[in-house]
Amino acid sequence: MNPFERITINPEICHGKPTIRGMRWPVEVLLDLLASGMSFEEILEDHPELEKEDIFEAIKFARASLSGVLNG
């Protein structure tokens, strides 16, 4: 069971990478935008299909991935 409502994994979308709400928005791309220095507001302005909650969930997903929570 996926504890993340906004993160979807589908082998037919982006080669099975975790994406935002089934869109072709890999979590890693959202993290790259943040790492480049873009603010939440800048990301949302440039990409209106995204929501602030998507960004928060991407960060939480990355943290869970690194802490091993997603691996059991």
Side-chain angles (χ1 to χ4, degrees), residues 10-19 22-29:
N10 180 336
E12 301 296 318
I13 299 174
C14 295
H15 307 286
K17 291 183 178 183
T19 60
M23 297 186 288
R24 296 191 180 279
W25 265 103
V27 168
E28 67 182 293
V29 171

Side-chain angles (χ1 to χ4, degrees), residues 16-59:
K17 291 183 178 183
T19 60
I20 303 296
R21 294 184 284 125
M23 297 186 288
R24 296 191 180 279
W25 265 103
V27 168
E28 67 182 293
V29 171
L30 210 46
L31 296 173
D32 285 343
L33 294 176
L34 291 168
S36 76
M38 288 184 76
S39 69
F40 280 30
E41 292 75 21
E42 290 170 324
I43 294 170
L44 297 173
E45 185 177 309
D46 287 353
H47 307 285
E49 68 277 14
L50 294 173
E51 300 172 0
K52 193 172 194 173
E53 292 79 11
D54 296 328
I55 301 172
F56 282 123
E57 188 120 329
I59 295 168

